[in-house]
C-alpha cells in the first residue's frame, strides 16, 4: 500500500496507465485493456456488478432460521464424510453461548485448512437440520493475531472478471487506489447543491461503490454516480444544442391574433388541446431569431399535418417560403392532397414536386420557387435537398413517418437558417426523447382527434378463429373492409412468406370468404400491380386485402375497420402498433385480431399490452422495457450514450433532474468558464473530447 502511496505523491492521476499500479504490470494491463480499463480513471469507474454484505458478528444462541448471520467461534472438531453421495466437510464451532454445526458440501479441500483450536469467523444463512440450527456453505475466514474481525474480508464488490483476472484480484488492485481519492476525484458541485439534491460527495461515492460499509451507503453511492453520469451526458447535449442555436440565425416569424385566426379558419374543425399546445410551442420557437429545432411526435392520424400546415402558413404570413418533405413520393402526394383540401380558394401558392416532372415544366417550377412566387413546396426529401433554390426559405418540415433520421438531422444542421420541424409517427418513449434526441425540443400529440384510434384489440387463439371469421363476415356484410396481414420474418424467408400470403389468399377467396372479393398484395409484385390493388381496395372493389407487411405506412382507407394479424407473436410491439394504425381511421369502431400461438413469455406480454392499450407512447415505453434501449434502436446510430452505471429507464427521475440542472447550467454559463465549473468542464472534456465545442473559446 505504501508503494502506491509513494507513487501517488509522485503523481497518481486519472490518466495514468493501470500498468504502473501495484499488482498489475504489462501482462495484466493487457487483460485490463480487454475489460476496457486502460487508466486509473477507467479503473475507478470499473464498478462492481454486485456486492456482498455480511452482518456484524452475533452470538450462536441468537441465531434464527433463515437469517444471514456472522458468528465467531472456536473450532471444536472437524469431520470429512467422503462416502456420502454428496461428500461433506463438517465442523463444530463454539462460543460462550453455544455450539453450532457448519457443513460444506464437497468440502474436501477444507481438510488441512480448518483444524480444532482455530478461531474462525463464518457468515451465511442459518438453516434447520434435524431440529438443530446450522450453517451450510458459509464464507469463512480464520482469525489470528494479524487478522482480527473485519467486515471487509467478506464484504465489498464483486467485479465482472475474465480469464486471467479474478474479481478478488481486481478488488485488491483497486483497494489501495481508493486511498487517494482526495487527489483523484475532485468535487463537481457546491455543498449547498449537494444538500438540496441529497447527493453525497463524489469522493465518498467512489469509495463506497467499491467498498460499501453498508447497503444504505452503497445506494447513496450509486445514486451519486448515476447522477453524475447522467448529468455529464445531458451537459453534452445541452452544449451541442447551445452551439446549434447560437452559431446560426433564422428569420423570426411574428404571429398575431389576426394571423392566427386567419390560419385557423382553414381547418374545418376545432383543433385538439394537444394540437394547440404544440402550435403554441412552435409559434414561440419561430418568433425567435434562432432557428427552431423541434421534433413533433404523434401517432399516425393524431393530427400532425394540421400542426405542420399551421407552421407553414405562419411562415408564409411572414413572407417566407416553406418546404414540406416526406420520405416517399406517395407520402408527399398524400401531404399535398390534404394541404390542398385545407387551402381550397386560398391565395397561398403551393406545388408538389415529383420525380416524374421533367423538362420545361420542371424548369419553370424551379424558377418560380427561386423567385419566390411559390409559397409552399411539397416533395420528397431527396428531391428537395437536391437542386432546389429558394428565395427565402423560412421553414422546413420533415415528415419521417416511422424512421428517425438522425443522419438527416445532421445534414440539415448545416443549413440552419430555416426553422426546422421534424415529424415522426413513431412514439418515442420519454426516456429516449431525452437522450437520443436530447438536443431537440419535443412537442407531443398524445391524444388523437375525437373518433380516431378507436380500436378494440383481441388476442385470438386457434380455437376461436372460426368465431373471429364469423364476426368479420358480419362486418363485411355491413360493407366494411378488412386487412389480413402475414408476417415477414427475414429476407431469406421472403419467398415462403409470399407463398404463405398467396396460399392464404386462395384459401380465403375459395373457402373462407367466397362471397367476398379477396385481393392480394405483396412486396414482390410489380409496382403498377400494387398500385392497382390498392386503388381497388380504396374504391371498395376489394373487401378483404390479404397482404404481407407491405400494407405501407400512409395507406389511408377509413372504411377498412378490421385487421387480422397472423403470427402476431412474431412482430415487435411497435410494429404491431404501427400496423394497427391502418385501422381506426373513422368514427366507426374498428377491430384488430391478433392470431397467435406462443409460450414465449415476452411475446405473451407483448400481445397482452396490445389488447390493453391504444396509446402509442405507453406501448413504446413497454417496448423499451421489454427489449432494452440497445435492442430497440441501434445504439450507435441513434446516439444513445454508453452508460456505465445509470440506466435511462430505471433511473428516470435522476435523468429528469440531471437534465434540468445541466440545461440550466449551460444557459447561465454556456462555455463553463466559471471557476466553480472547472472540474465539471475537465470531466466533460475527458469524456467527449474537443468535439464538445468547449475548446472553441477556451
Ligand atoms: P397525421 O399527420 O398525424 O397522421 P393528420 O393531420 O393527417 O394526422 O390528421 C388525421 C385526420 O384527422 C385527418 O383526416 C384530419 O382531417 C383529421 N383531424 C386532424 N385534426 C383534427 C381535429 N382537431 N379534429 C378533427 N379531425 C382532425
Ligand atoms: Mg399524416
Amino acid at each position: 500500500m505504501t508503494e502506491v502511496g509513494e507513487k501517488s505523491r509522485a503523481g497518481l492521476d486519472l490518466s495514468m496507465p493501470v500498468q504502473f499500479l501495484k499488482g498489475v504490470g504489462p501482462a495484466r494491463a493487457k487483460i485490463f485493456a480487454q475489460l476496457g480499463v486502460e487508466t486509473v480513471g477507467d479503473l475507478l469507474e470499473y464498478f462492481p456488478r454486485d456486492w456482498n454484505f455480511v452482518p456484524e458478528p452475533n452470538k450462536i444462541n441468537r441465531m434464527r432460521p433463515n437469517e444471514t448471520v456472522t458468528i465467531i467461534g472456536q473450532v471444536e472438531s472437524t469431520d470429512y464424510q467422503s462416502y456420502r453421495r454428496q461428500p461433506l466437510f463438517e465442523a463444530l464451532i463454539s462460543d460462550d453461548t453455544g455450539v453450532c454445526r457448519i457443513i460444506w458440501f464437497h468440502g474436501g479441500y477444507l481438510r488441512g485448512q480448518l483444524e480444532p483450536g482455530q478461531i474462525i469467523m463464518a457468515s451465511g444463512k442459518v438453516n434447520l437440520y434435524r431440529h438443530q440450527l446450522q450453517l451450510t456453505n458459509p464464507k469463512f475466514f480464520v482469525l489470528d493475531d494479524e487478522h482480527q474481525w473485519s467486515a471487509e474480508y467478506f464484504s465489498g464488490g464483486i467485479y465482472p472478471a475474465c480469464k486471467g483476472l479474478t474479481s478478488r484480484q481486481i478488488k485488491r488492485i483497486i483497494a489501495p487506489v481508493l486511498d487517494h481519492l482526495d487527489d483523484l476525484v475532485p468535487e463537481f458541485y457546491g455543498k449547498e447543491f449537494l444538500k438540496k439534491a441529497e447527493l453525497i460527495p463524489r469522493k465518498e461515492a467512489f469509495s463506497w461503490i467499491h467498498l460499501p460499509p453498508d447497503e444504505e451507503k452503497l445506494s447513496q453511492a450509486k445514486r451519486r454516480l448515476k447522477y453524475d453520469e447522467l448529468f455529464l451526458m445531458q451537459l453534452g447535449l445541452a452544449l451541442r444544442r447551445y452551439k446549434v442555436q447560437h452559431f446560426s440565425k433564422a428569420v423570426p416569424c411574428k404571429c398575431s391574433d389576426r394571423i392566427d385566426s386567419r390560419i385557423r379558419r382553414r381547418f374545418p374543425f376545432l383543433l385538439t388541446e394537444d394540437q394547440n399546445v404544440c402550435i403554441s410551442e412552435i409559434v414561440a420557437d419561430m418568433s425567435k431569431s434562432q432557428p427552431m429545432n423541434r421534433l413533433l411526435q404523434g401517432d399516425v392520424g393524431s393530427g400532425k399535418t394540421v400542426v405542420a400546415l399551421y407552421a407553414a402558413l405562419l411562415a408564409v404570413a411572414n413572407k417566407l417560403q416553406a418546404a414540406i418533405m416526406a420520405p416517399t413520393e406517395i407520402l408527399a402526394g398524400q401531404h399535398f392532397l390534404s394541404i390542398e383540401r385545407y387551402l381550397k380558394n386560398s391565395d397561398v401558392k403551393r406545388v408538389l414536386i415529383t420525380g416524374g416532372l421533367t423538362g420545361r415544366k420542371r424548369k419553370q417550377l424551379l424558377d418560380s420557387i427561386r423567385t419566390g412566387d411559390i409559397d409552399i413546396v411539397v416533395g420528397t426529401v431527396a428531391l428537395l435537398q437536391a437542386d432546389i433554390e429558394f428565395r427565402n426559405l423560412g421553414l422546413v418540415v420533415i415528415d419521417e413517418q416511422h424512421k428517425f433520421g438522425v443522419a438527416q438531422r445532421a445534414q440539415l444542421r448545416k443549413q440552419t437558417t430555416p426553422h426546422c420541424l421534424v415529424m415522426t409517427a413513431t412514439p418515442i418513449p420519454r426516456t429516449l426523447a431525452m437522450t437520443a434526441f436530447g438536443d431537440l425540443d419535443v412537442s407531443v400529440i398524445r391524444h388523437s382527434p375525437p373518433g380516431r384510434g378507436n380500436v378494440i384489440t383481441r388476442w385470438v387463439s386457434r380455437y376461436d378463429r372460426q368465431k373471429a371469421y364469423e364476426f368479420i363476415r358480419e362486418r363485411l356484410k355491413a360493407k366494411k373492409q378488412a386487412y389480413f396481414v402475414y408476417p415477414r420474418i427475414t429476407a431469406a424467408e421472403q419467398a415462403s412468406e409470399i407463398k404463405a400470403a398467396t396460399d392464404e389468399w386462395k384459401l380465403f377467396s375459395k373457402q373462407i370468404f367466397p362471397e367476398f372479393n379477396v385481393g392480394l398484395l405483396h412486396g414482390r409484385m410489380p409496382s403498377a400491380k400494387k398500385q392497382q390493388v390498392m386503388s381497388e381496395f380504396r374504391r371498395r372493389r376489394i373487401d378483404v386485402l390479404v397482404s404481407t407487411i407491405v400494407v405501407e405506412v400512409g395507406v389511408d382507407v377509413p372504411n377498412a375497420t378490421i385487421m387480422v394479424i397472423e403470427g402476431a407473436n412474431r412482430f415487435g410491439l411497435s410494429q404491431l402498433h404501427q400496423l394497427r394504425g391502418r385501422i381506426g381511421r373513422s368514427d366507426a369502431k374498428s377491430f384488430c385480431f391478433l392470431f397467435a400461438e406462443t409460450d414465449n413469455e415476452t411475446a405473451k406480454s407483448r400481445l397482452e399490452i396490445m389488447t390493453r392499450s391504444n396509446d402509442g407512447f405507453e406501448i413504446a415505453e413497454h417496448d423499451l422495457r421489454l427489449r432494452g434501449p440497445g435492442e430497440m434502436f441501434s445504439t450507435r446510430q441513434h446516439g444513445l450514450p454508453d452508460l456505465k452505471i445509470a440506466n435511462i429507464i430505471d433511473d428516470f427521475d435522476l435523468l429528469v433532474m440531471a437534465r434540468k440542472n445541466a440545461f440550466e447550467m449551460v444557459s447561465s454559463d454556456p462555455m463553463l468558464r466559471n471557476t466553480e465549473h472547472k472540474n465539471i468542464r475537465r470531466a466533460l472534456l475527458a469524456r467527449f473530447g474537443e468535439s464538445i465545442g468547449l475548446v472553441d473559446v477556451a
Side-chain angles (χ1 to χ4, degrees):
M1 215 172 269
T2 30
E3 280 156 4
V4 178
E6 307 293 359
K7 243 184 216 166
S8 149
R9 253 155 259 140
L12 182 78
D13 66 62
L14 292 176
S15 60
M16 187 176 103
V18 283
Q19 178 175 341
F20 303 121
L21 288 175
K22 182 174 160 62
V24 185
R28 276 206 177 145
K30 281 212 185 86
I31 304 178
F32 265 120
Q34 285 165 21
L35 300 173
V37 175
E38 311 251 358
T39 64
V40 170
D42 297 338
L43 186 66
L44 279 178
E45 292 194 353
Y46 195 71
F47 301 128
R49 61 173 164 76
D50 202 359
W51 292 264
N52 278 328
F53 290 97
V54 303
E56 293 284 316
N58 211 337
K59 293 293 182 187
I60 288 176
N61 70 348
R62 308 292 293 269
M63 287 169 36
R64 298 283 173 270
N66 298 322
E67 274 177 6
T68 300
V69 298
T70 305
I71 54 173
I72 294 177
Q74 176 162 352
V75 179
E76 297 291 338
S77 65
T78 62
D79 185 21
Y80 180 54
Q81 300 165 14
S82 59
Y83 51 83
R84 288 174 170 248
R85 198 162 48 87
Q86 274 208 76
L88 65 80
F89 189 91
E90 179 187 294
L92 290 179
I93 72 164
S94 67
D95 67 6
D96 50 3
T97 68
V99 180
C100 172
R101 180 173 180 254
I102 305 181
I103 58 163
W104 287 272
F105 287 110
H106 304 286
Y109 61 95
L110 293 170
R111 283 170 298 177
Q113 272 192 53
L114 280 180
E115 290 164 9
Q118 286 173 332
I119 306 287
I120 70 163
M121 172 174 75
S123 183
K125 199 161 166 191
V126 181
N127 61 308
L128 208 52
Y129 178 74
R130 297 199 173 149
H131 309 293
Q132 295 282 320
L133 294 177
Q134 71 170 24
L135 291 179
T136 306
N137 297 331
K139 291 175 273 204
F140 77 97
F141 198 87
V142 180
L143 302 180
D144 54 29
D145 291 345
E146 251 184 82
H147 300 95
Q148 295 299 314
W149 140 254
S150 156
E152 275 177 34
Y153 294 135
F154 298 150
S155 299
I158 304 165
Y159 293 88
C162 72
K163 199 161 167 284
L165 202 55
T166 64
S167 166
R168 190 174 282 217
Q169 286 164 333
I170 296 173
K171 192 167 156 183
R172 272 200 218 116
I173 292 163
I174 291 182
V177 178
L178 299 180
D179 293 338
H180 305 275
L181 293 176
D182 274 336
D183 306 330
L184 292 174
V185 179
E187 183 53 61
F188 286 171
Y189 321 112
K191 285 211 172 61
E192 238 167 77
F193 173 79
L194 290 181
K195 196 161 165 224
K196 200 179 95 209
E198 296 180 347
L199 292 170
I200 61 166
R202 190 166 156 79
K203 199 178 70 190
E204 232 149 63
F206 273 99
S207 167
W208 292 353
I209 197 82
H210 291 288
L211 268 182
D214 56 51
E215 303 217 33
E216 170 58 27
K217 290 197 165 69
L218 171 63
S219 78
Q220 288 175 351
K222 281 186 188 165
R223 186 162 181 278
R224 168 67 204 253
L225 294 170
K226 285 172 172 184
Y227 178 81
D228 285 2
E229 190 171 46
L230 294 168
F231 179 75
L232 289 181
M233 164 181 91
Q234 289 299 323
L235 207 53
L237 290 166
L239 284 166
R240 196 155 85 197
R241 188 180 129 105
Y242 182 88
K243 245 172 89 177
V244 169
Q245 286 193 333
H246 289 80
F247 286 67
S248 49
K249 286 238 171 300
V251 183
C253 294
K254 293 208 180 52
C255 193
S256 62
D257 287 350
R258 232 187 96 232
I259 294 177
D260 179 67
S261 69
R262 232 170 58 205
I263 298 177
R264 282 175 195 266
R265 230 178 290 149
R266 292 271 143 215
F267 305 126
F269 35 69
L270 284 177
L271 298 192
T272 63
E273 170 142 9
D274 284 358
Q275 283 171 322
N276 280 327
V277 170
C278 292
I279 285 173
S280 65
E281 288 164 346
I282 289 168
V283 168
D285 281 1
M286 287 175 66
S287 73
K288 296 188 185 135
S289 56
Q290 299 153 359
M292 166 169 76
N293 254 303
R294 187 169 284 277
L295 181 69
L296 175 61
Q297 294 187 63
D299 265 348
V300 172
S302 60
K304 295 184 297 297
T305 308
V306 170
V307 174
L309 183 59
Y310 186 106
L313 293 174
L314 177 60
V316 174
N318 282 269
K319 311 241 173 316
L320 299 169
Q321 291 169 295
I324 299 177
M325 311 183 189
T328 65
E329 289 228 337
I330 296 181
L331 287 168
Q334 279 186 9
H335 276 308
F336 189 69
L337 275 183
S338 50
I339 288 174
E340 283 298 282
R341 244 193 359 250
Y342 296 123
L343 295 187
K344 216 180 254 170
N345 306 324
S346 141
D347 293 339
V348 174
K349 298 205 187 55
R350 59 274 174 191
V351 291
L352 173 68
I353 300 228
T354 63
L357 195 67
T358 51
R360 267 243 328 266
K361 269 195 138 168
R362 178 178 160 83
K363 194 178 164 297
Q364 267 173 6
L365 203 60
L366 295 192
D367 281 346
S368 56
I369 295 172
R370 189 171 45 243
T371 54
D373 287 341
I374 303 287
D375 301 307
I376 298 178
V377 183
V378 183
T380 61
V381 176
L383 277 176
L384 288 183
Q385 282 187 340
D387 56 348
I388 295 187
E389 212 183 301
F390 288 86
R391 192 171 116 85
N392 48 13
L393 185 60
L395 172 74
V396 175
V397 177
I398 306 172
D399 184 4
E400 306 205 300
Q401 276 307 102
H402 290 294
K403 289 189 297 254
F404 315 115
V406 173
Q408 257 168 33
R409 269 208 286 153
Q411 263 181 29
L412 255 157
R413 284 286 162 73
K414 286 186 204 132
Q415 177 206 48
T416 37
T417 336
H419 295 286
C420 179
L421 182 67
V422 180
M423 302 196 284
T424 176
T426 298
I428 302 168
R430 254 193 345 140
T431 42
L432 286 179
M434 290 172 101
T435 49
F437 295 84
D439 56 336
L440 285 182
D441 295 303
V442 179
S443 292
V444 175
I445 304 183
R446 184 142 190 160
H447 304 286
S448 296
R452 293 237 134 204
N454 192 1
V455 182
I456 292 169
T457 303
R458 292 275 178 271
W459 174 7
V460 180
S461 76
R462 195 182 305 139
Y463 313 104
D464 288 333
R465 240 167 226 238
Q466 214 49 47
K467 264 191 237 158
Y469 289 147
E470 289 318 312
F471 179 91
I472 293 166
R473 189 186 314 281
E474 290 309 310
R475 299 263 135 188
L476 292 173
K477 277 188 196 154
K479 295 275 171 276
K480 296 295 178 197
Q481 291 162 284
Y483 295 102
F484 276 73
V485 184
Y486 289 83
R488 130 109 40 93
I489 308 113
T490 63
E493 280 168 322
Q494 208 182 34
S496 69
E497 158 225 2
I498 288 167
K499 183 173 176 300
T502 312
D503 290 351
E504 292 298 320
W505 169 62
K506 284 183 193 146
L507 186 72
F508 277 115
S509 48
K510 299 224 167 75
Q511 289 179 24
I512 302 176
F513 298 126
E515 69 269 50
F516 299 107
N517 289 323
V518 183
L520 173 68
L521 189 70
H522 64 69
R524 290 278 174 86
M525 278 162 52
S527 159
K529 178 77 185 160
K530 269 195 266 186
Q531 300 275 1
Q532 187 201 332
V533 172
M534 274 321 297
S535 118
E536 282 176 12
F537 190 57
R538 222 174 275 126
R539 298 199 322 260
R540 303 195 191 178
R541 298 270 165 81
I542 291 177
D543 305 298
V544 177
L545 185 63
V546 175
S547 79
T548 57
I549 56 168
V550 287
V551 194
E552 274 176 59
V553 285
V555 172
D556 191 5
V557 182
N559 190 54
T561 57
I562 297 151
M563 174 170 282
V564 172
I565 304 178
E566 270 288 353
N569 47 310
R570 288 180 177 164
F571 292 101
L573 255 185
S574 300
Q575 207 180 10
L576 286 172
H577 180 66
Q578 256 176 50
L579 280 172
R580 185 171 59 178
R582 302 297 111 222
I583 56 173
R585 298 175 152 248
S586 70
D587 291 343
K589 256 205 184 100
S590 289
F591 297 88
C592 178
F593 298 102
L594 307 172
F595 283 11
E597 313 293 330
T598 180
D599 290 328
N600 180 298
E601 289 302 323
T602 317
K604 279 190 197 164
S605 47
R606 283 201 299 262
L607 295 166
E608 268 154 23
I609 290 159
M610 285 299 294
T611 60
R612 245 191 3 245
S613 176
N614 267 320
D615 178 339
F617 287 92
E618 194 188 333
I619 287 172
E621 207 77 56
H622 279 293
D623 206 11
L624 185 64
R625 273 169 198 279
L626 286 176
R627 283 200 280 166
E631 272 270 313
M632 189 161 172
F633 303 94
S634 129
T635 314
R636 284 277 158 268
Q637 190 191 342
H638 294 291
L640 280 179
D642 277 333
L643 293 173
K644 286 182 176 155
I645 187 163
N647 176 309
I648 55 174
I649 300 168
D650 299 340
D651 304 316
F652 186 69
D653 292 346
L654 275 182
L655 173 63
V656 172
M657 176 164 113
R659 180 169 177 81
K660 179 170 168 281
N661 291 331
F663 277 72
E664 273 172 20
M665 183 174 289
V666 169
S667 72
S668 73
D669 180 17
M671 291 296 155
L672 305 184
R673 268 179 288 208
N674 196 325
T675 45
E676 264 173 59
H677 301 148
K678 173 180 86 199
N679 292 336
I680 294 176
R681 182 177 215 279
R682 197 175 297 148
L684 208 59
L685 281 169
R687 172 145 211 172
F688 294 101
E690 306 192 346
S691 66
I692 199 71
L694 284 176
V695 183
D696 300 359
V697 286

